[in-house]
């Protein structure tokens, strides 16, 4: 029998893309305690249960085993430094981190994409780890893009400005912006509708860019995940269209050219661009299921396939 290679096993497990969390609790003397982990998953909706794993060799293990409560903070994409801090042996991690107490008493990290404050429901002995199952006492979320991790590197779900600038072809960058169950559409002088888009992503000072278009209309838009990439091969050199998901903050837009249209009431015949119409129809279907993919395809050929890999930003 071939000897079990623990290092290769660990590498294979690292092929699974995960979120990044900071798990926190309070020590007997009232001081906060926390560590970085990606071994987090939901367990049950009724009752609401989640779990996290902690190594028995971790210095924090006895504290978490006996505290009676813990919180799971799902880090946002901009919180890589927080992830590194709580993975380190820094003696006072919370001194450099903004936090507040959650409903069950555990520290909640400011700026997190989501958080779950739990009372300990069960502790399971599992090999060289303990499995902490928590009953959710309170939770919250934000529009922030979550941080992800795979094969020793952080994963970016968005497409960076540098990547767009380096593209050796023309690009159209647009956004599917939601607010209260409606999507933002722009109407032209003839009444045709389209999604907001520009000849690039940045800068906001450039009226031709997506952010320039949004700024010109006075919109406070927050882009999150990449949703679709497709090429129109019929145009000269092929125009690559890149669309993000996002949300629209603030009140309803005042510009008469802007329309917030309920997702179940979109006037599909008024969308002049076939590729945009097809993409938006897919978005509405996936929004209904609350399950999104990232798609690449060829608008002229009408083909689409799921994009399985994300851009990775290796940090070590």
């Amino acid at each position: 029998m071939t000897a079990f290679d623990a290092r290769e096993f660990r590498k294979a497990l690292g092929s699974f893309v995960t979120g990044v969390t900071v798990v926190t609790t309070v020590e007997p003397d009232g001081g906060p305690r926390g560590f970085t982990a990606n071994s987090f998953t939901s367990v049950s909706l009724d009752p609401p249960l989640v779990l996290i794993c902690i190594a028995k060799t971790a210095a924090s293990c006895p504290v978490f085993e006996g505290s009676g409560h813990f919180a799971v903070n799902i880090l946002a994409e901009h919180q890589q430094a927080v992830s590194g801090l709580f993975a380190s042996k820094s003696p006072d991690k919370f001194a450099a981190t903004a936090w507040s107490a959650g409903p069950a008493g555990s520290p909640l990290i400011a700026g997190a994409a989501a958080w779950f404050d739990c009372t300990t429901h069960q502790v399971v002995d599992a090999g060289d780890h303990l499995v902490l199952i928590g009953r959710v006492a309170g939770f919250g979320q934000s529009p922030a893009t979550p941080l992800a991790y795979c094969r020793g590197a952080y994963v970016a779900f968005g497409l960076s400005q540098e990547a767009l600038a380096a593209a050796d072809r023309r690009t159209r960058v647009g956004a599917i912006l939601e607010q209260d169950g409606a999507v933002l559409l722009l109407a032209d002088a003839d009444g045709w509708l389209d999604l907001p888009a520009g000849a690039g992503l940045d800068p906001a000072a450039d009226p031709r860019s997506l952010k320039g278009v949004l700024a010109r209309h006075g919109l406070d838009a927050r882009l999150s995940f990449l949703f679709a990439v497709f090429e129109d091969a019929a145009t000269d050199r092929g125009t690559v269209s890149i669309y993000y998901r996002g949300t629209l903050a603030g009140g309803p837009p005042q510009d008469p050219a802007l329309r917030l249209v309920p997702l179940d009431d979109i006037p599909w015949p008024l969308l002049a661009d076939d590729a945009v119409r097809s993409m938006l129809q897919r978005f509405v279907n996936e929004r209904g299921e609350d399950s999104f993919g990232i798609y690449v395809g060829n608008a002229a050929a009408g083909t689409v396939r799921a994009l399985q890999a994300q851009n990775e930003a290796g940090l070590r």
Side-chain angles (χ1 to χ4, degrees), residues 20 36 80 83-84 147-150 152-156 311-316:
V20 183
T36 300
Q80 292 183 17
S83 170
L147 183 62
Y149 199 73
C150 181
Y154 292 112
V155 178
N311 293 325
E312 292 189 5
L315 298 185
R316 52 176 181 261

Side-chain angles (χ1 to χ4, degrees), residues 2-90:
T2 304
F4 189 84
D5 191 325
R7 177 175 293 184
E8 289 300 312
F9 179 58
R10 186 182 183 91
K11 285 174 61 178
L13 293 174
S15 299
F16 183 62
V17 180
T18 70
V20 183
T21 74
V22 168
V23 187
T24 59
T25 192
V26 175
E27 300 188 66
D29 64 2
R33 195 73 178 259
F35 66 97
T36 300
N38 60 358
S39 54
F40 165 71
T41 190
S42 60
V43 175
S44 168
L45 293 177
D46 185 17
L49 302 176
V50 298
L51 69 77
I52 197 77
C53 299
I54 183 171
K56 292 178 180 177
T57 55
S60 298
C61 187
V63 177
F64 279 87
E65 184 180 9
S67 67
H69 60 91
F70 63 91
V72 180
N73 299 272
I74 299 177
L75 298 185
E77 196 170 53
H78 67 275
Q79 293 182 304
Q80 292 183 17
V82 177
S83 170
L85 175 64
F86 279 86
S88 73
K89 298 185 181 298
S90 175

Side-chain angles (χ1 to χ4, degrees), residues 271-293:
L271 289 164
D273 190 307
D274 292 340
V276 169
R277 185 190 311 116
S278 177
M279 176 187 64
L280 191 55
Q281 287 172 334
R282 186 172 66 250
F283 175 86
V284 171
N285 291 336
E286 294 185 2
R287 167 54 73 204
E289 299 174 359
D290 198 26
S291 177
F292 292 100

Side-chain angles (χ1 to χ4, degrees), residues 216-288:
R216 186 172 73 249
H217 289 286
L219 298 173
D220 181 9
R222 300 171 186 177
L223 305 181
S224 56
F225 293 106
L226 184 66
F227 181 70
V229 181
F230 54 89
E231 179 182 5
D232 184 356
T235 61
D236 182 33
R237 294 177 60 226
T239 297
V240 175
S241 294
I242 301 166
Y243 280 82
Y244 292 90
R245 291 163 47 200
T247 56
L248 189 64
Q254 301 302 309
D255 190 325
L258 302 176
R259 301 182 186 178
L260 275 173
V261 182
L263 291 174
D264 57 0
D265 198 28
I266 294 174
W268 300 110
L270 294 182
L271 289 164
D273 190 307
D274 292 340
V276 169
R277 185 190 311 116
S278 177
M279 176 187 64
L280 191 55
Q281 287 172 334
R282 186 172 66 250
F283 175 86
V284 171
N285 291 336
E286 294 185 2
R287 167 54 73 204

Side-chain angles (χ1 to χ4, degrees), residues 69-71 100-108 115-119 136-140:
H69 60 91
F70 63 91
S100 59
S106 302
L108 305 180
W115 57 267
F116 304 89
D117 199 9
C118 310
T119 56
V136 178
F139 66 93

